[in-house]
């Protein structure tokens, strides 16, 4: 029996176009309704972009205290990028703003470049990110066309490998295992630059957080179905 006030740690497969906050808000509303409560602590460990899907860990009640610890879990992603073009957001949120030559890009070149990203890396986060600047999110400035200066951060890429490369479409799919704070959109940008071209993310799936794999996650629909058919413990 679930006890959401004492605390639960749940793993969800976040839907496309939802923000991580959308997921938390949906869960909080349904849990409060089910429990007959006005308030319940619900939070997530590790933001996932709206244009990404996959593992989001959600904590409730007293187990929200675990969020800071859980954020440091290693994460695994499968990312597909379009080579030869860039966007201001480094993904499909914004339109292509520049195109670059790709005739020189071969599988051999990719196999030389991709391993250079393994290990410690300095990465400049995207302007379209949730990083706080003077009390505001960086994306709030970026969406108004205002320039923001973000300092490079040290991160660790434990594993990176090519899963597929289509030379005709110039689409590259990679698997990445990395530390907290890694922006896969920024990694796509950096891969494009190191290939002496450009790149932006066209698909992203978080396949693992710590030991939790995406195939073990609940969908929001499945969870709400189980919630509606279950009895819950309440501290009142």
């Amino acid at each position: 029996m679930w006890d959401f006030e004492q605390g639960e740690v749940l793993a969800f497969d976040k839907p496309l176009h939802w923000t991580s906050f959308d997921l938390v808000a949906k869960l909080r509303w349904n849990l409060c309704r089910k429990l007959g409560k006005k308030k319940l602590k619900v939070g997530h460990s590790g933001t996932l972009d709206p244009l990404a899907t996959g593992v989001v860990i959600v904590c409730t009640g007293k187990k929200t205290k675990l969020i800071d610890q859980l954020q440091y879990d290693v994460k695994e992603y499968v990312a597909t990028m379009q080579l030869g073009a860039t966007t201001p957001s480094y993904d499909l949120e914004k339109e292509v703003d520049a195109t670059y030559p790709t005739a020189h890009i071969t599988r051999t070149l990719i196999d030389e470049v991709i391993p250079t990203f393994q290990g410690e890396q300095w990465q400049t986060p995207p302007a379209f990110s949730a990083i706080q600047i003077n009390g505001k999110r960086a994306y709030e400035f970026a969406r108004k066309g205002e320039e923001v200066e973000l300092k490079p951060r040290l991160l660790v890429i434990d594993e990176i490998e090519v899963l597929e490369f289509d030379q005709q479409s110039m689409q590259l799919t990679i698997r990445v295992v990395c530390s907290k704070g890694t922006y896969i959109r920024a990694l796509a940008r950096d891969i494009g630059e190191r290939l002496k071209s450009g790149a932006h993310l066209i698909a992203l799936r978080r396949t693992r957080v710590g030991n939790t794999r995406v195939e073990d996650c609940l969908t929001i629909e499945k969870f709400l179905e189980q919630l509606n058919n279950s009895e819950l413990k309440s501290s009142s």
Side-chain angles (χ1 to χ4, degrees), residues 53-233:
T53 63
V55 185
V56 172
I57 306 296
V58 175
C59 300
T60 76
K62 293 180 179 179
K63 288 195 177 175
T64 53
K65 293 176 182 177
L66 297 174
I67 287 175
D68 286 345
Q69 174 188 332
L70 292 170
Q71 285 179 340
Y72 286 92
D73 282 345
V74 167
K75 298 170 179 68
E76 179 186 72
Y77 298 88
V78 172
T80 300
M81 62 195 76
Q82 178 65 57
L83 305 181
T86 56
T87 73
S89 58
Y90 311 150
D91 65 6
L92 294 175
E93 180 182 337
K94 294 292 181 180
E95 298 291 326
V96 169
D97 61 356
T99 56
Y100 300 85
T102 58
H104 64 287
I105 300 176
T106 62
R107 178 61 191 252
T108 300
L109 177 61
I110 286 170
D111 286 342
E112 290 172 359
V113 165
I114 292 300
T116 67
F117 286 93
Q118 190 160 327
E120 289 190 342
Q121 302 284 323
W122 286 96
Q123 184 187 80
T124 302
F128 287 80
S129 65
I131 291 172
Q132 292 264 6
I133 301 174
N134 299 326
K136 287 187 175 182
R137 302 291 187 182
Y139 62 72
E140 294 180 56
F141 295 100
R143 285 171 183 159
K144 291 178 183 176
E146 299 175 22
E147 288 192 14
V148 292
E149 186 176 346
L150 296 170
K151 295 180 179 179
R153 296 179 170 195
L154 185 64
L155 53 89
V156 178
I157 294 179
D158 296 305
E159 299 175 39
I160 184 167
E161 65 171 334
V162 177
L163 297 181
E164 188 176 352
F165 173 56
D166 186 328
Q167 194 158 5
Q168 187 169 1
S169 65
M170 277 292 150
Q171 291 183 359
L172 170 64
T173 300
I174 60 173
R175 183 184 70 90
V176 184
V177 178
C178 55
S179 66
K180 175 183 183 290
T182 305
Y183 284 90
I184 306 300
R185 287 180 289 137
L187 178 61
R189 169 204 64 198
D190 296 342
I191 288 172
E193 289 176 357
R194 211 166 288 185
L195 288 169
K196 294 183 169 49
S197 184
H200 65 280
L201 210 57
I202 59 173
L204 180 62
R205 186 152 176 79
R206 185 189 279 165
T207 50
R208 180 168 62 88
V209 173
N211 294 321
T212 303
R213 308 195 73 84
V214 71
E215 51 265 32
D216 302 322
C217 291
L218 288 163
T219 63
I220 184 66
E221 295 83 6
K222 186 68 175 176
F223 173 76
L224 293 179
E225 179 187 329
Q226 292 179 9
L227 180 67
N228 290 332
N229 294 327
S230 66
E231 292 184 10
L232 303 183
K233 288 183 181 179

Side-chain angles (χ1 to χ4, degrees), residues 36-53:
K37 299 282 186 180
K38 289 185 178 179
K39 291 182 179 179
L40 178 70
K41 286 185 177 180
V42 184
H44 66 82
S45 68
T47 301
L48 198 54
D49 289 339
L51 294 178
T53 63

Side-chain angles (χ1 to χ4, degrees), residues 1-8 27-42 60-61 223 227-228 230-236:
M1 184 183 290
W2 281 321
D3 188 340
F4 292 104
E5 291 173 284
Q6 283 301 310
E8 298 287 350
L27 291 169
R28 184 187 293 114
W29 187 88
N30 280 276
L31 289 172
C32 286
R33 186 188 63 159
K34 181 75 174 179
L35 289 164
K37 299 282 186 180
K38 289 185 178 179
K39 291 182 179 179
L40 178 70
K41 286 185 177 180
V42 184
T60 76
F223 173 76
L227 180 67
N228 290 332
S230 66
E231 292 184 10
L232 303 183
K233 288 183 181 179
S234 177
S235 60
S236 62

